C-alpha cells in the first residue's frame, strides 16, 4: 500500500467502522473528518518498517478492498517476554465472510509476524461481544490471556486480550533485527 492508495484505505476503513463499530477503537464520525493528508499518512504507515499489511481485492483495476489485516511490532515491548507483535485493523467485507478469506489473511498475518517481523508472540484485543472474531482467533490457536482492557469507546465494555506463541527462525530474527536497525537509522 502506498500513500497514493489512500482513497481505497479510506473507503475500506469507513466501511469497517460502519459495519462493525465495536471491532475498532475509532469512531466512524472521527474517521469521516480526517483530511486527505491524514489518510495519506495512514496509508504510508501501513508499509512502514515494523508493519506488514495484507489487503484483498478482486484483482481488477480500481476495485475496493474486500479484506484487510495488519501486523505491527508492539510499542512499548513488555520486558522479559519474546518480541511482541500486534494484530490490528482486521476486516473482511460482508460479501466475503464464510469464504475462507479471514482464515487466509490471518494465516498470512501470523506468518508475517513470525518470519518478517521476527516476533515470538502475536497479541490482539477483541471486543467481548465479537463472537465471530473470537471463534476465528481460537481456531488459529490464540488463547485468552485472562487480561481485560476497557473498550475505549464504551467504558462499560471490555476487550479480551489474546495471544499466540510463535516460533521465529534464526534467519527471520536476523532479518527482523536488521530491519529494525534500518528503521531506527542504524
Amino acid at each position: 500500500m502506498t500513500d497514493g492508495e489512500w482513497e481505497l484505505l479510506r473507503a475500506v476503513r469507513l466501511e469497517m467502522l460502519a459495519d462493525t463499530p465495536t471491532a475498532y477503537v475509532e469512531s466512524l464520525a472521527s474517521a469521516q473528518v480526517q483530511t486527505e493528508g491524514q489518510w495519506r499518512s495512514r496509508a504510508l504507515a501501513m508499509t512502514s518498517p515494523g508493519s506488514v499489511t495484507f489487503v484483498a481485492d478482486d484483482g481488477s483495476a480500481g476495485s475496493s478492498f474486500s479484506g484487510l489485516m495488519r501486523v505491527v511490532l508492539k510499542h512499548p515491548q513488555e520486558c522479559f517476554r519474546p518480541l511482541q507483535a500486534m494484530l490490528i485493523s482486521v476486516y473482511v467485507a460482508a460479501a466475503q465472510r464464510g469464504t475462507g478469506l479471514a482464515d487466509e489473511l490471518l494465516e498470512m498475518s501470523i506468518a508475517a509476524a513470525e518470519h518478517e517481523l521476527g516476533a515470538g508472540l502475536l497479541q490482539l484485543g477483541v471486543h467481548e461481544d465479537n463472537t465471530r472474531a473470537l471463534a476465528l482467533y481460537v481456531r488459529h490457536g490464540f488463547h485468552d490471556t485472562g487480561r481485560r482492557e476497557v473498550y475505549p469507546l464504551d467504558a462499560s465494555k471490555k476487550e479480551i486480550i489474546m495471544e499466540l506463541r510463535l516460533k521465529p527462525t534464526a534467519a527471520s530474527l536476523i532479518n527482523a533485527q536488521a530491519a529494525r536497525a534500518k528503521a531506527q537509522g542504524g
Side-chain angles (χ1 to χ4, degrees):
M1 177 174 293
T2 66
D3 68 333
E5 296 176 294
W6 71 270
E7 291 174 294
L8 288 170
L9 175 61
R10 182 181 190 277
V12 74
R13 185 66 181 183
L14 295 179
E15 181 181 317
M16 293 162 66
L17 294 169
D19 179 73
T20 319
T22 59
Y24 310 100
V25 294
E26 175 181 32
S27 72
L28 178 60
S30 68
Q32 287 173 322
V33 298
Q34 297 228 340
T35 66
E36 177 181 331
Q38 289 169 310
W39 284 107
R40 284 182 181 277
S41 292
R42 287 174 84 156
L44 261 179
M46 295 261 187
T47 57
S48 65
S51 175
V52 179
T53 303
F54 295 100
V55 295
D57 63 22
D58 68 9
S60 63
S63 65
S64 62
F65 294 151
S66 55
L68 175 78
M69 283 193 197
R70 183 175 178 205
V71 181
V72 298
L73 287 176
K74 184 177 177 181
H75 296 287
Q77 292 283 314
E78 296 173 41
C79 294
F80 309 110
R81 298 199 75 199
L83 183 66
Q84 302 116 53
M86 295 287 301
L87 180 68
I88 60 175
S89 298
V90 174
Y91 179 68
V92 173
Q96 296 297 318
R97 293 179 192 148
T99 66
L101 180 59
D103 292 296
E104 184 179 346
L105 289 170
L106 185 54
E107 288 166 8
M108 291 188 312
S109 296
I110 291 168
E114 201 168 36
H115 302 296
E116 292 182 49
L117 301 179
L121 197 63
L122 182 56
Q123 300 174 326
L124 61 88
V126 60
H127 192 281
E128 63 190 352
D129 296 335
N130 194 342
T131 56
R132 184 176 57 230
L134 282 164
L136 171 70
Y137 301 136
V138 168
R139 191 167 62 245
H140 285 271
F142 285 84
H143 72 274
D144 183 340
T145 64
R147 283 187 28 226
R148 300 294 183 266
E149 293 183 5
V150 173
Y151 175 63
L153 301 180
D154 180 352
S156 71
K157 296 291 185 176
K158 302 284 185 222
E159 278 191 324
I160 298 169
I161 306 305
M162 302 181 81
E163 60 186 30
L164 175 67
R165 285 233 175 244
L166 305 173
K167 297 177 183 122
T169 64
S172 67
L173 291 171
I174 292 167
N175 291 339
Q177 186 177 29
R180 281 192 298 278
K182 183 179 178 183
Q184 296 170 350

